[in-house]
Amino acid sequence: MRLLAVWFGLSLCIFAQTPALQPFVRVSGKTIALTHVRVIDGTGAAERGNQTIVIDGGRIQTVGNFGEVAIPAGAQVLDLGNHTVIPGLVGMHEHLFYPTFGGVPIYAEHAFSFPRLYLASDVTTARTGGGLEIHTDLMVKKAIDEGRSPGPKMHITAGYLEGPGSFTPQMLELRDAEDAKAFVEYWAGRGATSFKAYMHITRAELESAITSAHARNLKVTGHLCSVGFREAAALGIDNLEHGLIVDSEFDPAKRPDQCPPASIAQLAALNIAGAAVQQTIRELVQHHVAVTSTLAVFEVAPPLQQRFLDALSPQASLNYLSGRDRLPESTHRTSALRIKKEVEFERAFVKAGGLLMAGADPTGNGSALAGFADQRNIELLVAGGFTLAEAIRIATLNGAKFLGVDDQTGSIAVGKRADLVVIDGDPSSRVEDIERMRIVFKDGVGYDCAKLLDSVRGKVGMH
Ligand SMILES: [Zn+2]
């Protein structure tokens, strides 16, 4: 164990020196002390002021009141008054693709810019929520793990388990339950550690995929429509994406194994406190089905930010802005209704003991960008009634628990990997300060957020 720790410590120092990472590294060294910081630790506990965090060999060695914690001789000390430290985010619905606009449902792989955007925007661990170029996703993860490319620690979900009827030609259609099994076996063998069921899968295919994944100790999530939430919970699904607003089971037009057209009137009429929704919540909690909140992707016109426009290529910027300008009033109303209903459901789900996580899902009309949308989720969760400490727990420790890596990351605790974000400001009094990230530590190496962002200027929309 000790040998392994030493090896890790050394290898991290080597990584920090690789030509690929060196331009982005702002703080590296065996022992680092962050002093005078406000700490929100990711467990949901209240923030603590004037703390010292000592990082040693890539791990958190000590956390405590300034003045009570001994700073080791030779430590590199960063005096960070008026800064807040939170755990690196654990993004649970990330993608390495982004829309190509113009009403064409084709998504372009962003293997270059998105890993940098995630890391620059606080995300130190990312589970993809389905891949469209799965071999690229796997190779990006390998490059990051080997220190050849900056990015978060990646957990790769295979391609979509989808039946006939998909809105994009980028998803392979399953033929039957046997095919679903073969799909899981193939991609598990190639390094996928998670599976994503999609909107037109049948119950038989879903059951077959779950059985096959669970036999390998791997998990299955879903953005479902043809299968209702309670049906999926009974079949053993581990996680549901987006939440109640995509649950078709309350729709009177729902037929077995078929996805009915989304009905906004029906969503508007749905009573979260009513018996039917409460029964669904109970069954999800009983079956230990986690839910991933993706509020940002439902927000079609968030406040327009310069950093967002800077990241987009000139063509993508033009496409995005012209699409956004043409959105009908009804789309704005639908967007607001979805977010309101969903966050109400999420509060009830958490109150009932459910495990809620969060992720960016950089799709939709292009408003949700890798990383930026992870931060926006925290703001929307707080606007929807969660405390900041709860919202941060949802975006950090809860995802780490689901992934089974909570002994390593997801909160600020002694012995864990130093995956931390240094924020210039106080998000507990001004939640938007979450966007003022300065340094993101991954395994104790501090990356310069501004340099990472600079490196992808004008790249989104291209690669
Ligand atoms: Zn998605």
PDB file of all heavy atoms in Angstrom, residues 331-348:
ATOM      1  N   THR A 331     -41.465  28.090 -26.347  1.00  0.00           N
ATOM      2  CA  THR A 331     -40.274  27.326 -25.947  1.00  0.00           C
ATOM      3  C   THR A 331     -39.717  27.862 -24.626  1.00  0.00           C
ATOM      4  O   THR A 331     -39.295  27.099 -23.758  1.00  0.00           O
ATOM      5  CB  THR A 331     -39.196  27.399 -27.051  1.00  0.00           C
ATOM      6  OG1 THR A 331     -39.779  26.925 -28.261  1.00  0.00           O
ATOM      7  CG2 THR A 331     -37.990  26.565 -26.711  1.00  0.00           C
ATOM      8  N   HIS A 332     -39.725  29.186 -24.477  1.00  0.00           N
ATOM      9  CA  HIS A 332     -39.274  29.784 -23.208  1.00  0.00           C
ATOM     10  C   HIS A 332     -40.176  29.339 -22.054  1.00  0.00           C
ATOM     11  O   HIS A 332     -39.691  29.016 -20.977  1.00  0.00           O
ATOM     12  CB  HIS A 332     -39.280  31.314 -23.310  1.00  0.00           C
ATOM     13  CG  HIS A 332     -38.216  31.845 -24.225  1.00  0.00           C
ATOM     14  ND1 HIS A 332     -36.910  31.983 -23.834  1.00  0.00           N
ATOM     15  CD2 HIS A 332     -38.269  32.248 -25.514  1.00  0.00           C
ATOM     16  CE1 HIS A 332     -36.190  32.471 -24.846  1.00  0.00           C
ATOM     17  NE2 HIS A 332     -37.004  32.630 -25.889  1.00  0.00           N
ATOM     18  N   ARG A 333     -41.490  29.322 -22.321  1.00  0.00           N
ATOM     19  CA  ARG A 333     -42.434  28.915 -21.263  1.00  0.00           C
ATOM     20  C   ARG A 333     -42.232  27.448 -20.890  1.00  0.00           C
ATOM     21  O   ARG A 333     -42.224  27.089 -19.719  1.00  0.00           O
ATOM     22  CB  ARG A 333     -43.882  29.147 -21.730  1.00  0.00           C
ATOM     23  CG  ARG A 333     -44.395  30.572 -21.515  1.00  0.00           C
ATOM     24  CD  ARG A 333     -45.919  30.616 -21.520  1.00  0.00           C
ATOM     25  NE  ARG A 333     -46.499  29.945 -22.695  1.00  0.00           N
ATOM     26  CZ  ARG A 333     -46.723  30.543 -23.874  1.00  0.00           C
ATOM     27  NH1 ARG A 333     -46.444  31.813 -24.025  1.00  0.00           N
ATOM     28  NH2 ARG A 333     -47.245  29.864 -24.881  1.00  0.00           N
ATOM     29  N   THR A 334     -42.055  26.606 -21.903  1.00  0.00           N
ATOM     30  CA  THR A 334     -41.844  25.175 -21.671  1.00  0.00           C
ATOM     31  C   THR A 334     -40.578  24.939 -20.852  1.00  0.00           C
ATOM     32  O   THR A 334     -40.556  24.134 -19.921  1.00  0.00           O
ATOM     33  CB  THR A 334     -41.721  24.434 -23.025  1.00  0.00           C
ATOM     34  OG1 THR A 334     -42.910  24.695 -23.763  1.00  0.00           O
ATOM     35  CG2 THR A 334     -41.567  22.953 -22.843  1.00  0.00           C
ATOM     36  N   SER A 335     -39.535  25.667 -21.217  1.00  0.00           N
ATOM     37  CA  SER A 335     -38.258  25.542 -20.529  1.00  0.00           C
ATOM     38  C   SER A 335     -38.419  25.883 -19.040  1.00  0.00           C
ATOM     39  O   SER A 335     -37.959  25.132 -18.159  1.00  0.00           O
ATOM     40  CB  SER A 335     -37.244  26.472 -21.203  1.00  0.00           C
ATOM     41  OG  SER A 335     -36.151  26.735 -20.364  1.00  0.00           O
ATOM     42  N   ALA A 336     -39.099  26.981 -18.754  1.00  0.00           N
ATOM     43  CA  ALA A 336     -39.288  27.411 -17.360  1.00  0.00           C
ATOM     44  C   ALA A 336     -40.136  26.398 -16.589  1.00  0.00           C
ATOM     45  O   ALA A 336     -39.837  26.078 -15.432  1.00  0.00           O
ATOM     46  CB  ALA A 336     -39.945  28.793 -17.326  1.00  0.00           C
ATOM     47  N   LEU A 337     -41.157  25.869 -17.254  1.00  0.00           N
ATOM     48  CA  LEU A 337     -42.034  24.896 -16.590  1.00  0.00           C
ATOM     49  C   LEU A 337     -41.266  23.613 -16.257  1.00  0.00           C
ATOM     50  O   LEU A 337     -41.378  23.074 -15.146  1.00  0.00           O
ATOM     51  CB  LEU A 337     -43.233  24.567 -17.502  1.00  0.00           C
ATOM     52  CG  LEU A 337     -44.129  23.437 -16.991  1.00  0.00           C
ATOM     53  CD1 LEU A 337     -44.981  23.906 -15.808  1.00  0.00           C
ATOM     54  CD2 LEU A 337     -45.029  22.888 -18.097  1.00  0.00           C
ATOM     55  N   ARG A 338     -40.474  23.141 -17.207  1.00  0.00           N
ATOM     56  CA  ARG A 338     -39.706  21.909 -16.988  1.00  0.00           C
ATOM     57  C   ARG A 338     -38.772  22.062 -15.778  1.00  0.00           C
ATOM     58  O   ARG A 338     -38.698  21.188 -14.927  1.00  0.00           O
ATOM     59  CB  ARG A 338     -38.855  21.586 -18.220  1.00  0.00           C
ATOM     60  CG  ARG A 338     -39.647  20.996 -19.357  1.00  0.00           C
ATOM     61  CD  ARG A 338     -38.698  20.289 -20.330  1.00  0.00           C
ATOM     62  NE  ARG A 338     -39.441  19.576 -21.343  1.00  0.00           N
ATOM     63  CZ  ARG A 338     -39.345  19.831 -22.658  1.00  0.00           C
ATOM     64  NH1 ARG A 338     -38.527  20.762 -23.093  1.00  0.00           N
ATOM     65  NH2 ARG A 338     -40.052  19.139 -23.508  1.00  0.00           N
ATOM     66  N   ILE A 339     -38.063  23.189 -15.737  1.00  0.00           N
ATOM     67  CA  ILE A 339     -37.099  23.387 -14.653  1.00  0.00           C
ATOM     68  C   ILE A 339     -37.824  23.468 -13.310  1.00  0.00           C
ATOM     69  O   ILE A 339     -37.405  22.853 -12.320  1.00  0.00           O
ATOM     70  CB  ILE A 339     -36.241  24.645 -14.915  1.00  0.00           C
ATOM     71  CG1 ILE A 339     -35.327  24.391 -16.125  1.00  0.00           C
ATOM     72  CG2 ILE A 339     -35.411  25.027 -13.693  1.00  0.00           C
ATOM     73  CD1 ILE A 339     -34.637  25.624 -16.664  1.00  0.00           C
ATOM     74  N   LYS A 340     -38.945  24.175 -13.290  1.00  0.00           N
ATOM     75  CA  LYS A 340     -39.707  24.341 -12.037  1.00  0.00           C
ATOM     76  C   LYS A 340     -40.216  22.987 -11.542  1.00  0.00           C
ATOM     77  O   LYS A 340     -40.057  22.638 -10.376  1.00  0.00           O
ATOM     78  CB  LYS A 340     -40.880  25.297 -12.298  1.00  0.00           C
ATOM     79  CG  LYS A 340     -41.742  25.599 -11.109  1.00  0.00           C
ATOM     80  CD  LYS A 340     -42.764  26.689 -11.455  1.00  0.00           C
ATOM     81  CE  LYS A 340     -43.811  26.844 -10.388  1.00  0.00           C
ATOM     82  NZ  LYS A 340     -44.815  25.757 -10.381  1.00  0.00           N
ATOM     83  N   LYS A 341     -40.823  22.209 -12.438  1.00  0.00           N
ATOM     84  CA  LYS A 341     -41.364  20.899 -12.059  1.00  0.00           C
ATOM     85  C   LYS A 341     -40.250  19.948 -11.636  1.00  0.00           C
ATOM     86  O   LYS A 341     -40.374  19.199 -10.674  1.00  0.00           O
ATOM     87  CB  LYS A 341     -42.109  20.267 -13.251  1.00  0.00           C
ATOM     88  CG  LYS A 341     -43.498  20.801 -13.465  1.00  0.00           C
ATOM     89  CD  LYS A 341     -44.482  20.189 -12.474  1.00  0.00           C
ATOM     90  CE  LYS A 341     -45.864  20.783 -12.721  1.00  0.00           C
ATOM     91  NZ  LYS A 341     -46.819  20.393 -11.680  1.00  0.00           N
ATOM     92  N   GLU A 342     -39.182  19.965 -12.397  1.00  0.00           N
ATOM     93  CA  GLU A 342     -38.108  19.014 -12.146  1.00  0.00           C
ATOM     94  C   GLU A 342     -37.439  19.267 -10.790  1.00  0.00           C
ATOM     95  O   GLU A 342     -37.193  18.344 -10.033  1.00  0.00           O
ATOM     96  CB  GLU A 342     -37.073  19.054 -13.283  1.00  0.00           C
ATOM     97  CG  GLU A 342     -35.872  18.160 -13.085  1.00  0.00           C
ATOM     98  CD  GLU A 342     -36.221  16.693 -12.844  1.00  0.00           C
ATOM     99  OE1 GLU A 342     -37.287  16.234 -13.294  1.00  0.00           O
ATOM    100  OE2 GLU A 342     -35.415  16.017 -12.179  1.00  0.00           O
ATOM    101  N   VAL A 343     -37.179  20.527 -10.490  1.00  0.00           N
ATOM    102  CA  VAL A 343     -36.483  20.813  -9.230  1.00  0.00           C
ATOM    103  C   VAL A 343     -37.413  20.520  -8.045  1.00  0.00           C
ATOM    104  O   VAL A 343     -36.952  20.070  -6.985  1.00  0.00           O
ATOM    105  CB  VAL A 343     -35.892  22.244  -9.231  1.00  0.00           C
ATOM    106  CG1 VAL A 343     -36.896  23.295  -8.831  1.00  0.00           C
ATOM    107  CG2 VAL A 343     -34.649  22.324  -8.352  1.00  0.00           C
ATOM    108  N   GLU A 344     -38.699  20.684  -8.258  1.00  0.00           N
ATOM    109  CA  GLU A 344     -39.665  20.331  -7.209  1.00  0.00           C
ATOM    110  C   GLU A 344     -39.607  18.817  -6.957  1.00  0.00           C
ATOM    111  O   GLU A 344     -39.589  18.359  -5.809  1.00  0.00           O
ATOM    112  CB  GLU A 344     -41.065  20.758  -7.687  1.00  0.00           C
ATOM    113  CG  GLU A 344     -42.099  20.852  -6.588  1.00  0.00           C
ATOM    114  CD  GLU A 344     -43.490  21.170  -7.145  1.00  0.00           C
ATOM    115  OE1 GLU A 344     -43.596  21.749  -8.252  1.00  0.00           O
ATOM    116  OE2 GLU A 344     -44.479  20.808  -6.463  1.00  0.00           O
ATOM    117  N   PHE A 345     -39.580  18.063  -8.052  1.00  0.00           N
ATOM    118  CA  PHE A 345     -39.445  16.602  -7.936  1.00  0.00           C
ATOM    119  C   PHE A 345     -38.125  16.246  -7.239  1.00  0.00           C
ATOM    120  O   PHE A 345     -38.092  15.380  -6.360  1.00  0.00           O
ATOM    121  CB  PHE A 345     -39.501  15.961  -9.327  1.00  0.00           C
ATOM    122  CG  PHE A 345     -38.951  14.559  -9.369  1.00  0.00           C
ATOM    123  CD1 PHE A 345     -39.687  13.486  -8.876  1.00  0.00           C
ATOM    124  CD2 PHE A 345     -37.678  14.307  -9.879  1.00  0.00           C
ATOM    125  CE1 PHE A 345     -39.172  12.192  -8.895  1.00  0.00           C
ATOM    126  CE2 PHE A 345     -37.157  13.022  -9.906  1.00  0.00           C
ATOM    127  CZ  PHE A 345     -37.907  11.961  -9.405  1.00  0.00           C
ATOM    128  N   GLU A 346     -37.060  16.917  -7.622  1.00  0.00           N
ATOM    129  CA  GLU A 346     -35.741  16.581  -7.072  1.00  0.00           C
ATOM    130  C   GLU A 346     -35.681  16.840  -5.565  1.00  0.00           C
ATOM    131  O   GLU A 346     -35.090  16.069  -4.812  1.00  0.00           O
ATOM    132  CB  GLU A 346     -34.643  17.345  -7.826  1.00  0.00           C
ATOM    133  CG  GLU A 346     -34.488  16.805  -9.250  1.00  0.00           C
ATOM    134  CD  GLU A 346     -33.546  17.600 -10.139  1.00  0.00           C
ATOM    135  OE1 GLU A 346     -32.957  18.596  -9.665  1.00  0.00           O
ATOM    136  OE2 GLU A 346     -33.409  17.237 -11.325  1.00  0.00           O
ATOM    137  N   ARG A 347     -36.328  17.924  -5.133  1.00  0.00           N
ATOM    138  CA  ARG A 347     -36.356  18.197  -3.688  1.00  0.00           C
ATOM    139  C   ARG A 347     -37.129  17.097  -2.961  1.00  0.00           C
ATOM    140  O   ARG A 347     -36.721  16.618  -1.904  1.00  0.00           O
ATOM    141  CB  ARG A 347     -36.940  19.575  -3.405  1.00  0.00           C
ATOM    142  CG  ARG A 347     -36.001  20.723  -3.762  1.00  0.00           C
ATOM    143  CD  ARG A 347     -36.199  21.969  -2.884  1.00  0.00           C
ATOM    144  NE  ARG A 347     -37.604  22.223  -2.588  1.00  0.00           N
ATOM    145  CZ  ARG A 347     -38.433  22.906  -3.382  1.00  0.00           C
ATOM    146  NH1 ARG A 347     -37.989  23.441  -4.493  1.00  0.00           N
ATOM    147  NH2 ARG A 347     -39.683  23.088  -3.033  1.00  0.00           N
ATOM    148  N   ALA A 348     -38.251  16.666  -3.546  1.00  0.00           N
ATOM    149  CA  ALA A 348     -39.055  15.601  -2.920  1.00  0.00           C
ATOM    150  C   ALA A 348     -38.281  14.276  -2.913  1.00  0.00           C
ATOM    151  O   ALA A 348     -38.330  13.524  -1.931  1.00  0.00           O
ATOM    152  CB  ALA A 348     -40.372  15.441  -3.675  1.00  0.00           C
TER     153      ALA A 348
END
